[in-house]
Amino acid sequence: RKEVEQDPGPFNVPEGATVAFNCTYSNSASQSFFWYRQDCRKEPKLLMSVYSSGNEDGRFTAQLNRASQYISLLIRDSKLSDSATYLCVVNTGNQFYFGTGTSLTVIP
Amino acid sequence: GAVVSQHPSWVICKSGTSVKIECRSLDFQATTMFWYRQFPKQSLMLMATSNEGSKATYEQGVEKDKFLINHASLTLSTLTVTSAHPEDSSFYICSASGGQLSYEQYFGPGTRLTVT
C-alpha cells in the first residue's frame, strides 16, 4: 500500500466553483501534513500546512482527520490562477511522502 | 518561506558526460536535503535523502554509483549524474529541511537536464 494516496483527477471546474481534494495516508504515526502547489515545469511551493484543528487561508481551507487518516483541501470561489497540480505531503519521521498530485483546471 | 537555490537551472550535455547540480539553502541550515526527479506529467519521485556529513540513502531502483550525492555542509548538497544517457533527461529538484523548519521542506527551482 502506498504511503500517500491521492486522486490524480483531472478536475475541471468553472470559475467561481468550490472544489475539494482528498488525500489518505497509511502510517498513523505521521506527524505533519502539507499541501503544495506545483505549476507546470516549476518546483512545488508550499501552499499551507495542515493542522488537526483545521486551518484557513483566504479561499483555502485545509483539514486533517487523524481517525480516518486523510487530509483535505477546499478551494472556494476558484480563480483561473488556481489552475495547477496540488500535492499532499505527509511527514513521517524524517521522511516526506508525496501524493501523485491532483490536477486542477479552472475554466473561464 | 526559506530560500533554496539550485544551479544550473538548465543544462544540455552529451551522452556519456557527467553533470553536477548544486543545491543550496540560502537562509537556514539544511540538516536534510532531498533529491527528486520528475518526468513530464508525472509526479515527483524521490531519489535519495541526504543528511549533512553522512552518506545518502537511496530509494529502491536508484543507482548510487550513477547518481552521486554529496552533502558536505549544512548549506550545500550536490547531485552528480555520471555518464549521462538520454533517458536521464528529466527535471531534477532538490529540497531542504532543517533547524526550526525541520517539519517543512522547501524546494529549489529545479534543474532541467537534457542529454543528447
Side-chain angles (χ1 to χ4, degrees):
Chain A
R1 185 182 171 190
K2 285 185 181 178
E3 291 281 343
V4 179
E5 303 257 17
Q6 187 176 1
D7 181 352
F11 284 64
N12 300 313
V13 303
E15 210 173 352
T18 295
V19 61
F21 308 133
N22 286 328
C23 201
T24 59
Y25 60 96
S26 61
N27 192 332
S28 59
S30 298
Q31 301 154 300
S32 307
F33 310 86
F34 310 91
W35 283 101
Y36 280 76
R37 170 193 169 128
Q38 185 176 25
D39 293 289
C40 188
R41 299 169 78 88
K42 299 280 189 179
E43 78 278 19
K45 290 190 186 293
L46 180 64
L47 181 63
M48 56 200 304
S49 302
V50 187
Y51 304 117
S52 296
S53 55
N55 47 306
E56 188 173 307
D57 182 3
R59 298 180 293 109
F60 298 84
T61 301
Q63 294 206 312
L64 165 65
N65 185 317
R66 284 194 182 271
S68 301
Q69 294 182 200
Y70 77 83
I71 61 173
S72 64
L73 177 69
L74 183 78
I75 305 175
R76 290 182 297 278
D77 188 23
S78 301
K79 310 290 185 192
L80 297 178
S81 56
D82 294 334
S83 297
T85 296
Y86 291 83
L87 302 161
C88 63
V89 180
V90 175
N91 175 272
T92 305
N94 195 33
Q95 292 278 23
F96 290 87
Y97 297 96
F98 282 77
T100 51
T102 299
S103 173
L104 171 66
T105 301
V106 181
I107 304 163
Chain B
V3 180
V4 176
S5 72
Q6 223 174 303
H7 177 81
S9 56
W10 199 312
V11 58
I12 301 173
C13 70
K14 290 186 177 180
S15 190
T17 60
S18 294
V19 175
K20 181 186 280 189
I21 303 169
E22 292 186 350
C23 178
R24 292 182 186 273
S25 57
L26 299 184
D27 54 359
F28 70 103
Q29 294 187 325
T31 50
T32 306
M33 284 187 168
F34 305 86
W35 285 97
Y36 297 86
R37 180 166 55 180
Q38 186 174 37
F39 294 105
K41 298 189 178 181
Q42 293 189 23
S43 61
L44 289 169
M45 186 185 78
L46 179 65
M47 299 175 67
T49 302
S50 74
N51 293 298
E52 185 264 337
S54 60
K55 289 184 179 179
T57 302
Y58 289 80
E59 295 299 300
Q60 195 171 11
V62 178
E63 300 175 55
K64 62 180 181 180
D65 294 330
K66 180 170 179 62
F67 298 99
L68 302 177
I69 292 172
N70 184 285
H71 189 171
S73 78
L74 286 171
T75 58
L76 173 64
S77 176
T78 61
L79 166 68
T80 301
V81 183
T82 62
S83 187
H85 290 115
E87 57 265 31
D88 298 324
S89 300
S90 186
F91 191 44
Y92 291 86
I93 309 175
C94 72
S95 71
S97 67
Q100 292 181 335
L101 306 173
S102 62
Y103 291 110
E104 296 181 356
Q105 58 175 324
Y106 291 88
F107 287 85
T111 296
R112 193 160 300 282
L113 170 63
T114 301
V115 184
T116 60

